[in-house]
Amino acid sequence: MITVPQKFFRFSGWAMLLAGIVITIIQFVHLEDVPHDMEEMKYFVDVAVWTHVALLLAVTVLLMGFAGLFLRHASKLKWWGWIGYGLFFSVFVFDLMHAALQIFDYPVFFKDITTEAQMKEASDLVMSIQMSNGPGQYIFMAMMPMAMLGTILMCIGFLRAKIISKWPSIGYLVLTVLMFVPVESVMMFIYPIQFLVWAWFGAILAFEKHPKAEVSSNPPITA
């Protein structure tokens, strides 16, 4: 058996709590991937770059705490629950790749834009890189089903494990269902709020009072 000290869970909890709050705030001020008009172009690059610098740092911190959340459930988490871990981890890594694009490439793509035609050309290039050409299109196509399947496996796995409160898992499932409400304003509001659930998970790990957790070095694979 491998003993996981409570300090690690507290660290993981604080990492997820702080990162979840910061990412929620960032998502509310996050601009679209391309500028709407020349008026927005005046501040677009600066806002896009610095919000994604903050996002890059916050998601990295979230991932640092992510392992603690799953290790907290390790003694009773089924093998398919760990697939949820891999799926969510991959989705966050893909999101970091998107952040890197805006941090390093936007100052180049949108440099010295002075006309609507130039702005449209740069915007079309950005969207082509992200959505139409190369590996970007396949990554974006995969992210939604990966996030959906990861949500189902993770939340059901946590609910069955009964290690911590069931409410964050239920809340995440409800918010995921609400994402499919065909109202754009609802979807735009629900997506940032989802990150508060990660903060909720983090708060539980940060403040719960439990002895050291033991994790089997060779956990049995059960259905």
Side-chain angles (χ1 to χ4, degrees):
M1 301 292 285
I2 299 172
T3 300
V4 181
Q6 184 64 22
K7 287 183 179 179
F8 176 77
F9 291 123
R10 292 197 187 283
F11 166 79
S12 298
W14 277 107
M16 294 184 67
L17 173 59
L18 297 176
I21 294 173
V22 170
I23 295 172
T24 300
I25 295 172
I26 293 172
Q27 293 298 338
F28 275 115
V29 300
H30 189 288
L31 298 174
E32 297 293 333
D33 284 343
V34 294
H36 288 297
D37 50 40
M38 289 300 297
E39 186 64 29
E40 186 177 87
M41 190 67 244
K42 295 176 182 178
Y43 56 84
F44 176 80
V45 172
D46 286 339
V47 174
V49 167
W50 288 108
T51 53
H52 282 81
V53 168
L55 190 62
L56 185 70
L57 295 174
V59 171
T60 300
V61 173
L62 181 67
L63 287 176
M64 291 171 65
F66 200 48
L69 178 63
F70 276 81
L71 284 175
R72 185 69 184 86
H73 293 81
S75 61
K76 295 186 179 180
L77 191 64
K78 304 298 183 182
W79 65 268
W80 43 265
W82 289 99
I83 295 178
Y85 173 82
L87 290 171
F88 259 120
F89 194 95
S90 299
V91 168
F92 283 130
V93 170
F94 290 156
D95 202 36
L96 291 179
M97 294 168 63
H98 173 254
L101 171 66
Q102 298 210 10
I103 292 170
F104 297 108
D105 291 348
Y106 274 32
V108 177
F109 291 153
F110 292 102
K111 182 181 180 181
D112 299 328
I113 297 292
T114 57
T115 67
E116 291 278 353
Q118 291 175 331
M119 185 188 72
K120 184 179 184 308
E121 182 179 1
S123 298
D124 290 344
L125 177 60
V126 167
M127 297 309 295
S128 174
I129 293 173
Q130 293 187 164
M131 307 290 288
S132 302
N133 295 314
Q137 61 177 323
Y138 303 111
I139 291 174
F140 271 87
M141 287 171 58
M143 283 180 68
M144 179 58 75
M146 288 174 66
M148 290 296 302
L149 182 58
T151 297
I152 294 170
L153 294 176
M154 178 190 75
C155 292
I156 293 178
F158 288 175
L159 289 171
R160 290 190 58 177
K162 297 180 181 179
I163 298 293
I164 65 173
S165 171
K166 63 184 178 181
W167 295 111
S169 295
I170 293 175
Y172 207 106
L173 287 171
V174 170
L175 289 173
T176 300
V177 171
L178 291 177
M179 281 286 292
F180 290 91
V181 174
V183 179
E184 184 176 358
S185 59
V186 173
M187 291 187 289
M188 292 178 62
F189 179 77
I190 293 299
Y191 180 72
I193 292 298
Q194 283 185 322
F195 290 97
L196 288 181
V197 179
W198 297 111
W200 190 357
F201 278 125
I204 293 173
L205 291 183
F207 296 109
E208 70 173 350
K209 299 185 181 197
H210 284 285
K212 297 176 182 178
E214 291 186 341
V215 181
S216 173
S217 57
N218 294 294
I221 298 178
T222 57

